[in-house]
Amino acid sequence: MGYFLRYGVLALVLGILPAQSLWSQVVIAHPGVQTDSLSPAYLFSLFSLRNRHWPQGQPVSLIVFQDQHPAHVNFVKQDLGVFPYQLRSIWDRYIFSGAVQAPRVVDSAEEMLYWVSHTEGGIGYLESAVGDIAGVRVIEIK
């Protein structure tokens, strides 16, 4: 069992965290991506721009919400284990060096679904309470 899940469940039992905060995000990808699950470390390597390819070698295209968007803050803290400003610092370093392109930034869940489903190799995230997520592949993090 992962570090966050183990201690998150303990925090939930102790009443420190609300239940929804433990499982409030879902990672989604373009339907052409041939991956059903990723480790937390691989997920971090993708979103930190350190690894720019899916396990099968296909290039990755990040789609993210604005830095201040609640879904972004929750995803970065819960699933990546860093603060949004830390992730932004990592991105800025790679982007300013010219090594990579900046992630596509969206403002809504509808835009996130659209761009992930229409971008080859696209990966993004949604709050699981969004509802219908047809047209994208849900990636399990384990």
Side-chain angles (χ1 to χ4, degrees):
M1 196 176 336
Y3 171 83
F4 181 77
L5 185 57
R6 188 173 331 146
Y7 292 101
V9 170
L10 177 61
L12 176 65
V13 170
L14 296 175
I16 299 170
L17 294 173
Q20 186 177 3
S21 72
L22 289 176
W23 299 279
S24 63
Q25 306 295 317
V26 62
V27 176
I28 58 173
H30 183 271
V33 169
Q34 299 301 311
T35 300
D36 292 322
S37 66
L38 295 172
S39 70
Y42 202 88
L43 181 70
F44 180 77
S45 75
L46 292 176
F47 275 91
S48 65
L49 301 173
R50 291 184 181 134
N51 192 339
R52 295 182 291 263
H53 293 87
W54 288 98
Q56 296 77 19
Q58 181 182 21
V60 167
S61 295
L62 293 183
I63 295 102
V64 299
F65 288 108
Q66 298 282 344
D67 287 355
Q68 309 84 355
H69 193 286
H72 180 76
V73 173
N74 289 335
F75 174 74
V76 172
K77 286 172 139 179
Q78 292 176 12
D79 294 301
L80 302 182
V82 295
F83 288 100
Y85 75 88
Q86 293 171 307
L87 186 61
R88 171 59 59 189
S89 176
I90 293 168
W91 287 350
D92 289 347
R93 197 170 332 124
Y94 283 111
I95 293 164
F96 292 143
S97 73
V100 298
Q101 290 184 330
R104 176 178 296 279
V105 178
V106 298
D107 295 317
S108 68
E110 293 78 18
E111 281 186 79
M112 178 66 77
L113 280 169
Y114 175 83
W115 285 108
V116 170
S117 67
H118 288 85
T119 305
E120 290 291 326
I123 184 172
Y125 50 89
L126 291 170
E127 294 176 324
S128 60
V130 162
D132 183 25
I133 53 175
V136 296
R137 178 182 296 271
V138 174
I139 305 292
E140 185 179 359
I141 307 305
K142 57 180 180 176

